[in-house]
């Protein structure tokens, strides 16, 4: 090293061998070093000796001073380091390192993004992409680099250039298009502005919608499966004694009936519910309504065809126009069919409907339109019709008391509810529900003892559920004792029970047993029929015999 020349330079200089042992240094560096340096490794002389950028740049520290050295090999045996002392340069170097770290992080974010990243300059030239674009388009990412998006559009690689749209509008732009491989993709271009507010580059995010569509399909299938599970859970819940806390469905046939009702709830076909009085026909009709979509769009309207006089039933069903008859409202009145539009109309006791009105009902079912009494125009309606009766409509058709064509219009979905005597397993649940309701209604705490409960199982319940409910309410209200027993039954039920006890004990003569049975049968007949002629016909005997027997047992007709 030419010491004279080196000492005149405003730099820190040193010379080493190829194995980094120090041979010489200038006076400027020696003044900072202040120790012997001959043939010592360079790393031992400095507190920090950090080689960067392939060995050409060294960051060193000595006695709290920072140095930046440039390395250059002068010949086969000598290496020269020339440097300066500068904190500002050290700070710049730190900033550079931080920027390099940040750049690596950004590279990792871009490269590992599941969506394709596509960066272009303001001229539309591709600057950078990531590996995801290969998966989405099927084209290597290197193919895009330095290519103009307009050229890619011309070649059919891209369908449209979102870059041009972003540059023109100077805002984010999104569009959906099919890419080169036929996949549906969502492209969102976002502008990057320079200091003058001009677009200097565009970053485009490319999302493969086929994955999203597949996910949505899977989600929809999962939701449908979940819905089916929910329905099955509800069905299993319905297999218990109660459907809604009030409706008892414990008998196998009743479960089948309510399962059928649930399945046909949203079917527009007419339902005909058959069964004895008091079996719960109206409860089933209301259940069908509640389970249907019509419960959200319309009302449940119930009409008892046997409780409304024949001359008023027509106007109640179909309504009347203003001034249709004396005393009519001048604005007219909508009928039950109009009120049940988009909902359900329940025609209870349909067997009691007069023949002339059956014709009009048939027309409404067929045409799906009504005409008010006294009106001249018709009105379209959308009503689900449910009818019910305790009568034998087939016999009525044969006897000419019910129209055959209407019967078949109503009998699309027939459901027959069995009487209570054929589903004894439900009696206890009914007792529990009704007794709780009665106690709550009247502020009481009545209970039934075991013998009275057993009677409820033995009784045939000709009036079915309605009779059971009425009997419970009667004995609760007429007796002050908290524990209700057999002795609290009404007289007509006591006779039935005493006859049952007699037969069980076998302690009386055959003649006495016959008389007890005869009295019991006559008592029931007197409850059901209005005249002695009707009783004689029903019991297949003469009317004088019935009069004599009623007098013998002191039985009075209710009629």
């Amino acid at each position: 090293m030419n010491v004279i020349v080196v000492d005149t330079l405003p730099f820190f200089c040193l010379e080493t061998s190829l194995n980094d042992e120090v041979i010489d240094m200038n006076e400027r560096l020696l003044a900072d070093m202040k120790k012997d340096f001959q043939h010592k490794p360079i790393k031992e002389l400095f507190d920090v000796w950090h080689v960067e950028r392939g060995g050409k740049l060294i960051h060193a520290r000595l006695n709290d001073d920072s140095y930046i050295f440039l390395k250059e090999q002068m010949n086969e045996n000598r290496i020269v380091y020339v440097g300066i002392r500068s904190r500002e340069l050290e700070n710049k170097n730190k900033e550079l390192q931080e920027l390099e770290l940040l750049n690596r992080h950004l590279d990792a974010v871009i490269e590992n993004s599941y969506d394709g990243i596509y960066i272009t300059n303001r001229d539309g030239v591709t600057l950078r992409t990531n590996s995801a674009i290969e998966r989405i388009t099927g084209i290597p990412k290197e193919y895009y680099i330095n290519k103009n998006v307009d050229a890619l559009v011309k070649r059919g690689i891209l369908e449209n250039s979102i870059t041009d749209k972003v540059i023109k509008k100077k805002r984010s732009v999104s569009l959906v298009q099919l890419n080169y491989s036929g996949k549906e993709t969502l492209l969102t271009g976002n502008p990057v502005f320079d200091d003058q507010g001009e677009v200097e580059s565009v970053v485009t995010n490319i999302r493969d919608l086929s994955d999203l569509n597949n996910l949505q399909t899977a989600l929809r299938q999962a939701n449908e499966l979940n819905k089916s599970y929910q329905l099955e859970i509800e069905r299993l819940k319905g297999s218990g004694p109660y459907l809604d806390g009030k409706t008892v469905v414990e008998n196998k046939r009743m479960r089948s009936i309510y399962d059928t009702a649930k399945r046909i709830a949203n079917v527009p076909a007419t339902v005909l519910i058959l069964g004895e009085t008091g079996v719960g026909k109206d409860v089933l009709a209301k259940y069908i309504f509640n389970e249907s979509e019509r419960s959200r769009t319309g009302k449940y309207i119930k009409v008892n065809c046997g409780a409304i006089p024949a001359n008023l039933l027509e106007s109640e069903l179909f309504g009347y126009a203003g001034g249709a008859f004396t005393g009519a409202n001048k604005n007219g009145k909508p009928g039950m069919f109009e009120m049940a539009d988009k909902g359900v109309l329940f025609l209870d006791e349909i067997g009691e409907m007069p023949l002339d009105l059956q014709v009009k009902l048939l027309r409404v079912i067929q045409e799906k339109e009504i005409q008010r009494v006294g009106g001249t125009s018709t009105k379209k309606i959308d009503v689900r019709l449910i009818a019910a009766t305790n009568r034998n409509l087939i016999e009525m058709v044969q006897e000419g008391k019910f129209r055959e064509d209407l019967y078949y219009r109503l009998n699309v979905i027939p459901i027959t509810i069995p009487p209570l005597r054929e589903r004894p397993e439900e009696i206890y649940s009914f007792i529990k529900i009704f007794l709780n309701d009665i106690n709550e209604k009247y502020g009481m705490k009545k209970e039934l003892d075991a013998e009275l409960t057993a009677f409820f199982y033995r009784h045939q319940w000709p009036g079915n559920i309605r009779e059971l409910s009425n009997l419970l309410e009667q004995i609760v209200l007429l007796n002050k004792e908290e524990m209700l027993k057999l002795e609290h039954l009404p007289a007509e039920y006591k006779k039935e029970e005493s006859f049952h006890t007699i037969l069980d004990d076998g302690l009386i003569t055959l003649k006495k047993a016959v008389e007890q049975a005869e009295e019991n049968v006559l008592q029931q007949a007197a409850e059901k029929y209005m005249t002695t002629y009707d009783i004689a016909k029903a019991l297949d005997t003469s009317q004088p015999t019935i009069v004599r027997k009623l007098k013998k047992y002191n039985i009075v007709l209710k009629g």
Side-chain angles (χ1 to χ4, degrees), residues 57-101:
L57 181 69
I58 294 88
H59 171 228
R61 180 178 289 277
L62 178 63
N63 301 326
D64 295 329
D65 288 325
S66 296
Y67 302 84
I68 299 295
F69 288 97
L70 295 176
K71 175 184 177 181
E72 187 66 38
Q73 186 171 346
M74 302 303 294
N75 54 45
E76 295 179 355
N77 301 315
R78 294 289 186 269
I79 297 175
V80 174
Y81 294 88
V82 179
I84 60 173
R85 183 173 57 211
S86 172
R87 288 192 177 276
E88 182 180 352
L89 190 59
E90 181 184 13
N91 292 337
K92 293 296 182 184
N93 187 52
K94 285 183 178 180
E95 290 180 9
L96 180 61
Q97 291 176 351
E98 291 174 356
L99 287 173
E100 289 177 343
L101 178 61

